[in-house]
Amino acid sequence: RQMPRRNLAIAALVVLPIICRALRPPAKQRTAPTRRYSTAVAEDTVQKMERDGFAVVETTLLTPHVLNEAHEFVMKRHATLIEAASKRGANLDRLDFYEIASRNPGRFDLRLDEEKPAVWNTLEEAVLDASYKLPRAGTRPPRVEYAGAVVSEPGATAQKLHADGPPSSVGLYTVFVPLVDVPASMGPTHFRRGSHVGDHDSPYLTREQRRAREGAEDVVPELRRGSVLMYDYRVFHRGGANLTGKRRPVAYVMYAR
C-alpha cells in the first residue's frame, strides 16, 4: 500500500533535517591549552628540592632581551628610590619604606606590586613554568604572592643566617633570578642544606636533630644571569658580601603552591 503524497511530504520535512545534521562534520571539541614547558630540570632536581630545600633550574623564557629590560627597570627604580630617600634625609642603612627597605648595609629590597613593568609578567611566567616541575604542597595551581628585586651595592656586607618563614610555611617558595652573573666574589646566596625540615623554631631538639643541624653543609651556588634559583620558604640562607665594584641586581618572586 502506497503512502499518500501529503504524508510523504511531511515525512520528508521530518527526516531530511535529521539526515543533513548527521552528514555535517562533527563540531570541534574545546580542549585545555597545552602548557609549553620551557624549563630544563635535571632528573634529580625534585629530590634535591625536597632534600636540600633549594634547586637551580634553567629556562628558555628568560631571553637576553627580557633580562636586559628587567635589569634596566630595576636599576632605574633603585636610583629613583635612593634619591628620594636621600632627599628626605633617611639613613640608607635603615630604610623601612614600603617601596624600598634596607636588608643589610648596602643591600636594598625593592618591592614591586602595582608598578610592575610588562617584562615582569614574562619573568613571573618563567617562574610559574618552573614551579610545575618541583614539589607541591596541594592541588591548586601555583600563584604569585608578591615580587620585587634586591640590589646589593659594592661593599654590601653579608647577611645573618635566617629563614623567610616559620616551619608552618609549607608550600611557599622564593625564587631568585639574577640579572647579572653572580660569581663567588659578588656574594651569592648561602644555603644551609636540609634546614627546611623540622621545627627550626623549637628550643628543644633531640640528639639526632642537634647533630643534623650542627653537621649541616653550607652550599653556595654561583649563578649565571637568567638562571632560576628556587628555594623553600623555610630553608636557612643568607646573602653573601659583595666584594666587587659592581652592583648585584637580583629579581625575586614569592609564589605559593
Side-chain angles (χ1 to χ4, degrees):
R1 183 180 177 184
Q2 292 186 346
M3 184 179 296
R5 289 185 179 181
R6 182 173 178 275
N7 292 349
L8 284 172
I10 294 174
L13 291 173
V14 173
V15 175
L16 282 177
I18 297 174
I19 295 175
C20 291
R21 283 199 296 268
L23 293 177
R24 290 175 185 170
K28 292 183 179 180
Q29 297 293 321
R30 294 186 62 186
T31 57
T34 302
R35 186 171 183 82
R36 178 168 59 91
Y37 290 101
S38 304
T39 305
V41 177
E43 292 182 1
D44 62 344
T45 299
V46 173
Q47 289 76 17
K48 285 182 178 179
M49 191 71 174
E50 292 177 333
R51 181 192 67 217
D52 301 340
F54 64 93
V56 179
V57 300
E58 303 295 335
T59 177
T60 60
L61 293 176
L62 297 177
T63 63
H65 175 71
V66 169
L67 295 170
N68 289 341
E69 278 196 29
H71 182 278
E72 181 180 3
F73 170 79
V74 168
M75 299 316 300
K76 284 184 177 179
R77 182 168 174 80
H78 173 66
T80 298
L81 293 175
I82 289 294
E83 181 181 5
S86 299
K87 287 182 178 179
R88 296 183 61 173
N91 183 346
L92 297 184
D93 289 339
R94 297 181 179 276
L95 295 182
D96 192 20
F97 298 103
Y98 178 80
E99 298 85 355
I100 184 170
S102 304
R103 297 306 181 200
N104 234 46
R107 188 185 310 271
F108 301 97
D109 185 349
L110 315 179
R111 182 77 175 267
L112 307 178
D113 277 337
E114 300 300 328
E115 299 185 35
K116 286 189 292 187
V119 69
W120 230 258
N121 294 330
T122 303
L123 192 145
E124 291 179 4
E125 180 185 347
V127 168
L128 295 178
D129 183 80
S131 72
Y132 275 90
K133 299 290 187 71
L134 298 179
R136 60 176 7 180
T139 58
R140 293 185 302 178
R143 64 189 184 281
V144 172
E145 297 291 336
Y146 60 83
V150 174
V151 177
S152 294
E153 298 280 357
T157 59
Q159 288 181 301
K160 293 182 179 180
L161 203 64
H162 65 282
D164 286 346
S168 59
S169 306
V170 179
L172 296 179
Y173 300 89
T174 303
V175 182
F176 286 162
V177 178
L179 303 178
V180 295
D181 290 338
V182 183
S185 59
M186 203 171 253
T189 305
H190 298 228
F191 290 96
R192 182 65 52 86
R193 175 173 282 165
S195 57
H196 63 302
V197 179
D199 187 357
H200 49 61
D201 286 343
S202 174
Y204 306 103
L205 298 176
T206 65
R207 182 179 301 176
E208 290 75 15
Q209 289 172 329
R210 188 175 294 106
R211 286 177 178 174
R213 180 173 294 184
E214 292 172 354
E217 178 187 7
D218 279 359
V219 182
V220 190
E222 298 181 39
L223 301 173
R224 295 182 301 176
R225 184 177 81 138
S227 295
V228 179
L229 170 61
M230 316 183 79
Y231 65 89
D232 193 294
Y233 214 61
R234 303 165 295 170
V235 75
F236 277 92
H237 63 283
R238 65 180 180 87
N242 185 358
L243 304 178
T244 72
K246 301 178 180 179
R247 291 186 176 94
R248 188 194 73 197
V250 176
Y252 71 80
V253 175
M254 194 277 272
Y255 78 90
R257 184 170 195 188

